[in-house]
Amino acid sequence: MKNLIFKIAVLAGTVAAFASCSDTWLMYDTSQKDKLYFKYENYPSLDQYLSTDFSFALLDESVKEVKKTVTVTLLGMPADRDRTFEVRAIHDTTSNYTTGGVQRELIDAVENEDYTIDRLIVPAGSVEGQIDVTLKRTEKIMTKTASLVLQIAQNEEFEGVPRNVYRFLISDGTAACPYWWYYSATQQWYQYTGEFRQDKYRKLLELYHGIAETNPTLYASMVEQYGENIDNDYYTGLNGQQLRMSMGFMVNRQNPHKMAWLRYVLCPLFDYYSTNYPDLEYYTTGSVNVTTGGWRDPANNY
């Protein structure tokens, strides 16, 4: 009798367990399409409006287009074959945009005029795909910023995630102060690069690109980490974590190329300006702050 009661109790418990999980079973639908989405590293939410600036202003006039790559991540199971996906450009509801002290009118980018997109594939066995976008240099972006807002479109293989988009802001003319240089939108200061100036920005990139001649292996690894024009969003720190390329990233103690930035870029930049333009800025070997300003000799960070 006790054994019978025990069996009934176990059966009742099992039924209750299935009942409590009923919603979970109903939610699982094998007919659902896999999803693709854009994401920031170490950011859990899929509800994201990712945005990146790209300016032709610092590039030679002969450069008429630049290729950029955006990674998409699979929410689902990898397949044993290549699968294609689609994206669509949607209207940017923002009318004006201010970055690095420069305000521009925003206009929607036009396909085949401001950009083109290559074939979109998630390779067999992979949980990532990529969007190869060619950004084009046009006359209108000298005074306006073309906004390309990409969203995953539904096709036979995939669908996107609501409110998950990736935006390119394409400009020319006056270069905005990069995110890793300025202290705030109105107070453009950073102690190891001094005041932001167009010519100084170009000189800094010249020194950075010059590493390709003196140490091509080092340069290749730095371009992979930071981008050809120091325009990546993240780099990999010494502990393997993804770190934002924010103010001071070049001398961050977790930056694997800290010494290279100091030796090949920051110190030569300081020496060039302090020697050739001694009255242009306040140069110092001591500490500086936002109130006093000043350009501190980067050699102090060795």
Side-chain angles (χ1 to χ4, degrees), residues 211-231:
I211 302 174
E213 297 182 7
T214 56
N215 195 329
T217 301
L218 172 63
Y219 180 69
S221 68
M222 293 181 74
V223 167
E224 183 177 359
Q225 282 268 48
Y226 316 106
E228 187 175 1
N229 292 295
I230 322 179
D231 49 8

Side-chain angles (χ1 to χ4, degrees), residues 5 19 42 49 56 59 69 85 109 124 150 156 168 222 228 232 260 268:
I5 294 174
N42 303 323
Y49 196 109
F56 283 94
L59 304 182
T69 297
F85 65 98
L150 297 177
E156 294 180 357
F168 281 103
M222 293 181 74
E228 187 175 1
N232 285 357

